[in-house]
Amino acid sequence: AAKEDALRRDFTINGMFYDPVKQQFHDYVHGRRDLERGVIVAIGEPAERFREDHLRMLRAIRFAHTLGFSIEEKTEDAIKTMANLIGRISAERIELELTRILTDSTKPGNALKHLHPVGLLQHILPDLIPMVGQKQPPQFHPEGDVFEHTCMMLNLMNQQPLEGSYTARELAYTVLLHDVGKPPTAAFGAGADGGERIRFDGHAAVGAAMAEENLTGLKFPNKEKKHIVDAIAGHMRFMDVQKMRTAKLRKLIGAETFDLEMELHRLACLGSHPMLGNY
């Protein structure tokens, strides 16, 4: 029956029915009320709903950030308690949900930030956790730590990528993982002015290897994975474009991933010191 069916659904806003024959609206779970309030509420006991399908925890975050809703307190508390169970879900299902969070959210960086305190990020992409609180040289990164920088870039992404040159998914994961190599390479060294500063020497190569590992874990298609990894591996070359030899510059521009790398560079500048001279 309709009522039993409604009680087995995930969230109240997804538990409403319309009878096109009788032209009647059926709402056994206060879905319309929560839709008007802009709140994601699990139907019945949140822990039971999340036990039935652990992926629903990730979906709650997606609905909140694609619709601009908040998550009801009891529902969010249940996510925090059960977050570790997300590890039992297949990589393919997690990738699909995570991709929609990164490409459909109005502010994907805010959605990524939300995944951390509820405990889901630690189980989906543990390599991102050391980025939280990883300090950067303030002269290049006035915006803050590596995680903050990444979230800012995700929020600045244009939802419509360049026609045919890269997909929204490729750009989202390139931005997401481009600085994952910074925490493991962080060390103090001499800056250009002779003073000491935090350096991340070799972070692009380390990050590319880590990105490949993470994308393999998420069962990414090989071609897209290669594009993302190549773009991350080469993303520091843009510092030198103004003094590059023509032959080297021509090779950079001729690369299959050039449009993706250009967009990554543009977002990296806008998400830190907004100097677009090299761009």
Side-chain angles (χ1 to χ4, degrees):
K3 188 172 182 180
E4 279 75 63
D5 189 4
L7 295 175
R8 281 197 305 269
R9 306 256 160 162
D10 52 7
F11 307 110
T12 57
I13 59 167
N14 293 334
M16 298 178 278
F17 296 97
Y18 180 69
D19 183 337
V21 179
K22 293 181 181 166
Q23 297 191 338
Q24 276 178 341
F25 187 72
H26 299 288
D27 182 7
Y28 306 103
V29 292
H30 304 298
R32 182 177 263 177
R33 177 197 69 190
D34 295 336
L35 199 55
E36 284 164 5
R37 291 193 307 158
V39 188
I40 305 296
V41 184
I43 291 172
E45 196 50 56
E48 276 178 42
R49 296 291 79 79
F50 295 143
R51 260 196 295 275
E52 287 163 358
D53 183 359
H54 310 322
L55 193 70
R56 286 172 169 174
M57 296 187 285
L58 209 46
R59 292 184 73 196
I61 305 290
R62 170 163 70 86
F63 287 133
H65 290 273
T66 52
L67 299 170
F69 283 16
S70 61
I71 301 177
E72 181 245 358
E73 197 177 349
K74 265 184 73 178
T75 302
E76 186 152 315
D77 285 346
I79 297 173
K80 288 175 180 171
T81 306
M82 304 172 75
N84 64 307
L85 297 177
I86 200 75
R88 298 181 183 178
I89 295 293
S90 74
E92 289 86 348
R93 291 185 73 207
I94 286 176
E95 181 272 307
L96 209 60
E97 206 58 53
L98 184 61
T99 295
R100 292 189 69 178
I101 287 172
L102 293 172
T103 56
D104 295 350
S105 296
T106 47
K107 294 271 186 227
N110 295 1
L112 181 70
K113 267 187 197 165
H114 199 163
L115 288 172
H116 183 232
V118 297
L120 290 168
L121 191 62
Q122 292 85 313
H123 298 286
I124 297 168
L125 291 167
D127 281 347
L128 263 57
I129 302 302
M131 287 165 43
V132 180
Q134 173 59 64
K135 289 189 169 65
Q136 305 191 91
Q139 63 271 41
F140 303 118
H141 288 281
E143 75 289 355
D145 69 28
V146 178
F147 191 67
E148 188 59 43
H149 169 61
T150 301
C151 291
M152 271 183 78
M153 286 174 64
L154 287 168
N155 282 345
L156 289 162
M157 280 191 311
N158 182 352
Q159 303 302 79
Q160 274 69 50
L162 292 170
E163 202 55 51
S165 56
Y166 56 83
T167 65
R169 177 164 78 164
E170 281 176 339
L171 178 62
Y173 282 91
T174 304
V175 171
L176 180 71
L177 297 166
H178 81 288
D179 272 350
V180 75
K182 276 188 170 175
T185 58
F188 278 96
D193 57 359
E196 251 213 337
R197 72 166 177 90
I198 297 176
R199 299 187 63 89
F200 305 104
D201 296 336
H203 82 269
V206 171
M210 290 172 74
E212 179 150 29
E213 207 174 299
N214 279 276
L215 295 169
T216 301
L218 287 169
K219 305 282 195 279
F220 247 71
N222 285 333
K223 191 178 177 188
E224 273 186 274
K225 180 167 66 179
K226 188 180 184 321
H227 288 168
I228 295 166
V229 170
D230 286 354
I232 292 172
H235 81 269
M236 293 307 288
R237 295 177 301 174
F238 280 80
M239 279 169 56
D240 306 318
V241 290
Q242 299 198 38
K243 48 183 189 283
M244 233 178 228
R245 294 193 325 276
T246 311
K248 199 172 180 185
L249 200 55
R250 196 181 286 134
K251 195 178 172 192
L252 179 84
I253 292 169
E256 197 180 345
T257 50
F258 179 65
D259 289 334
L260 178 61
E261 290 181 53
M262 273 286 273
E263 186 57 8
L264 177 68
H265 175 67
R266 187 181 76 87
L267 293 169
C269 294
L270 294 177
S272 51
H273 56 78
M275 294 185 285
L276 289 165
N278 290 348
Y279 179 78

